[in-house]
Amino acid sequence: MPQIRLNDCQFHYTDQGEGPPLLLLHGLGSSEQDWEYQIPALTAHYRVLCLDMRGHGGTDKSGKGYSIALFAKDCLAFIKAMGLQKPHIVGLSMGGMIAFQLATDAPDVPASLTIVNSAPEVIPRRAAEYWMAGKRLFFAHILPMPTIAKGLARLLFPKPEQQQHRDTFIERWCANDRKSYLASLRAIVGWGVSNQLDRISCPVLVVSADRDYTPVELKREYVSRMGDARLEVIEDSRHATPVDQPEAFNEVLLGFLAQVDSNRAIPTTEPAEAGLSTH
């Protein structure tokens, strides 16, 4: 498995295909495996890189000091180390938050953003939102990972014919390091860059499942506050849209990326910085 050391952490990543660079960012408690149904379609046109965030997948798991800002800093270090010029960035759920943070911290880096079932903030503002956030944190801290995994699997894949998805994701979530999972969850609650959306200068595609945790109207509202941004709704889908509706998602994503690429000169990938230690 390819490994790279960034910001005092050893990261697992994958690097496949040729073409303009495309970085995929996974969700909470997951890994590059989030994108198994996208890789074949995307590598036909792009150099596709997936990075396991710290605390996830094959990356080191300290469970200390996690924040969305740190995750974004890690991604920027990865982009620099791999010599990626103007990569497209696609983020699912927590990965979408990291993409938002990256694009507000370094507006000149992304060629485009694709935000999937995510938002530019997770800040409770009403009593019901405080209750929901508190309840999620409370149960995450007291329930064992297998119980959490089974509950999430039923929520994301409720149909009888989705048993294979449920089984697969239960196995993956049960493999999480509990300390790192909780640290990542705490990093999400209270995070936000909603007041900095005007810093994003690249084209943005927001993809929302019609049955996501958060309503489509919430995405429509924040899309209206960005310049070159549009919303696409995928029907009969829940939070894991790239998994439960891969064909529809891939079609929307590839169409958006092709449009962005047709409107710009596509730079090449530079060699990784001299002296960088990877193995």
Side-chain angles (χ1 to χ4, degrees):
M1 296 192 301
Q3 299 281 318
I4 186 169
R5 190 159 189 85
L6 307 164
N7 298 332
D8 297 321
C9 181
Q10 194 79 4
F11 287 82
H12 165 68
Y13 71 96
T14 61
D15 184 352
Q16 304 171 72
E18 296 181 357
L22 170 60
L23 177 60
L24 303 178
L25 305 178
H26 62 77
L28 172 67
S30 196
S31 70
E32 48 89 13
Q33 292 175 310
D34 268 354
W35 306 106
E36 62 181 318
Y37 298 108
Q38 281 64 61
I39 297 298
L42 293 174
T43 51
H45 309 278
Y46 294 93
R47 178 186 175 187
V48 181
L49 301 102
C50 302
L51 181 67
D52 284 355
M53 294 297 104
R54 59 176 70 213
H56 293 76
T59 294
D60 286 352
K61 301 169 180 66
S62 70
K64 297 179 180 178
Y66 292 179
S67 68
I68 299 299
L70 177 59
F71 294 155
K73 181 181 177 183
D74 292 337
C75 290
L76 286 168
F78 180 70
I79 289 168
K80 183 178 180 181
M82 300 300 291
L84 309 181
Q85 294 295 306
K86 286 288 186 180
H88 298 288
I89 299 176
V90 182
L92 168 63
S93 192
M94 183 186 78
M97 300 171 202
I98 298 167
F100 269 130
Q101 182 77 57
L102 186 156
T104 56
D105 288 348
D108 293 338
V109 168
S112 73
L113 292 184
T114 299
I115 307 294
V116 188
N117 292 332
S118 191
E121 68 173 35
V122 187
I123 301 174
R125 299 187 184 279
R126 294 185 289 271
E129 293 171 348
Y130 277 103
W131 167 250
M132 290 300 296
K135 185 170 71 170
R136 182 174 183 186
L137 286 167
F138 174 75
F139 283 112
H141 280 77
I142 66 168
L143 295 176
M145 284 304 303
T147 303
I148 294 171
K150 289 175 184 177
L152 287 171
R154 286 194 299 269
L155 187 64
L156 267 60
F157 308 110
K159 297 180 180 180
E161 63 269 26
Q162 293 177 322
Q163 183 64 48
Q164 183 177 349
H165 288 327
R166 288 194 292 275
D167 293 342
T168 296
F169 276 77
I170 288 170
E171 181 180 354
R172 290 178 186 174
W173 282 320
C174 284
N176 271 293
D177 174 73
R178 182 174 178 79
K179 184 178 179 182
S180 296
Y181 177 85
L182 294 174
S184 301
L185 177 58
R186 291 192 297 269
I188 290 173
V189 178
W191 163 85
V193 292
S194 187
N195 61 348
Q196 300 178 54
L197 293 180
D198 58 349
R199 289 181 53 79
I200 298 175
S201 56
C202 64
V204 181
L205 169 66
V206 174
V207 178
S208 176
D210 61 345
R211 303 179 188 182
D212 188 25
Y213 301 144
T214 53
V216 173
E217 284 307 311
L218 183 146
K219 284 101 164 179
R220 199 180 309 279
E221 187 279 326
Y222 75 69
V223 165
S224 71
R225 293 189 283 119
M226 291 189 287
D228 186 1
R230 74 173 194 249
L231 173 69
E232 293 282 351
V233 178
I234 304 292
E235 295 183 356
D236 192 25
S237 179
R238 287 171 172 79
H239 194 61
T241 298
V243 177
D244 69 22
Q245 291 292 349
E247 292 182 3
F249 175 77
N250 292 350
E251 181 179 358
V252 167
L253 175 59
L254 283 168
F256 169 70
L257 296 175
Q259 183 180 41
V260 173
D261 285 341
S262 70
N263 292 333
R264 70 185 183 103
I266 303 173
T268 57
T269 300
E270 296 177 349
E273 289 186 334
L276 181 71
S277 176
T278 63
H279 64 274

